[in-house]
Amino acid sequence: MDELKGIIRDIPDFPKKGIIFKDITTLLADGKSFHRMIDLIAHRYIGQNIHQVVGIEARGFILGSALAYKLGTGITLVRKAGKLPFRTRRKTYDLEYGTDTLEIHEDAFQAGDKVIVADDLLATGGTMAAVVDLVQELGADIVECAFLAELEFLSGRQRLPDGKVFSLLKF
Ligand code: AMP
């Protein structure tokens, strides 16, 4: 794990002063590390009869689609407002400054579908909490929220369903 953590690059003061941005592009670009990351995460869910992986725009699509491929499921996209073409359900949530809106197609799931929701990084948990609401409102059953990395000092997991959060790398 330390090897994978070491490949993620810290970018100070991006996108604004005071934030240390975890740049995962270095890990994604390294074939061996990318493979290892997906195998380690997918391993948790093999044999659990997962119906669908949900990926959050944009880096969650990368993790989510590789996971879905490995698990033999499809991937459902959660996108920024105005990008999905069919009827959607939407959720607006607070950011540090202002708000953001995410959408999902309203026919994404069958009732009781077992899903994994994937994103690259858990920070304050606001993004994933909004997606958890959307997925549950549409009748799916969240098996776990899966992240490549978690910033533990921000306690984001407290905003997410108890015992249903997994992160491969903790910072
Ligand atoms: P949050 O809603 O605070 O949990 O933020 C999660 C989203 O913001 C994730 O999709 C991350 O890609 C991105 N993000 C937040 N903070 C960071 C950070 N320090 N480094 C990299 N990505 C971040």
Side-chain angles (χ1 to χ4, degrees):
M1 264 358 134
D2 283 348
E3 212 179 300
L4 286 180
K5 279 174 81 169
I7 298 174
I8 293 177
R9 183 163 60 180
D10 280 356
I11 310 286
D13 299 323
F14 182 88
K16 53 180 178 255
K17 210 163 173 52
I19 303 278
I20 299 175
F21 192 84
K22 294 286 176 195
D23 176 17
I24 65 161
T25 61
T26 40
L27 190 153
L28 298 177
D30 182 73
K32 220 171 117 210
S33 303
F34 182 54
H35 226 101
R36 188 134 178 269
M37 150 185 110
I38 296 300
D39 284 351
L40 286 167
I41 299 174
H43 185 71
R44 296 177 62 77
Y45 309 118
I46 288 170
Q48 284 209 51
N49 197 23
I50 303 298
H51 296 101
Q52 195 74 206
V53 173
V54 176
I56 305 175
E57 188 169 358
R59 277 160 293 182
F61 291 172
I62 301 165
L63 177 63
S65 58
L67 259 184
Y69 184 81
K70 187 90 188 171
L71 296 173
T73 72
I75 177 164
T76 289
L77 308 185
V78 169
R79 298 209 63 183
K80 305 274 166 62
K83 301 281 189 186
L84 287 172
F86 188 59
R87 287 197 303 273
T88 62
R89 181 170 287 248
R90 53 168 51 198
K91 184 79 49 186
T92 297
Y93 63 102
D94 290 330
L95 298 172
E96 200 179 343
Y97 299 104
T99 62
D100 210 349
T101 300
L102 289 172
E103 291 186 329
I104 188 168
H105 276 151
E106 66 179 22
D107 64 347
F109 310 112
Q110 311 275 356
D113 273 358
K114 291 169 71 175
V115 308
I116 303 295
V117 190
D119 204 1
D120 65 326
L121 185 130
L122 172 59
T124 65
T127 307
M128 186 57 89
V131 176
V132 164
D133 285 349
L134 283 174
V135 169
Q136 289 178 337
E137 282 166 21
L138 291 179
D141 174 21
I142 294 175
V143 172
E144 217 160 51
C145 304
F147 300 90
L148 166 60
E150 174 177 3
L151 303 181
E152 287 188 298
F153 60 95
L154 292 173
S155 306
R157 62 170 61 221
Q158 286 176 11
R159 300 175 66 175
L160 302 177
D162 216 15
K164 295 194 172 181
V165 179
F166 171 74
S167 58
L168 186 65
L169 310 175
K170 296 179 199 318
F171 291 93

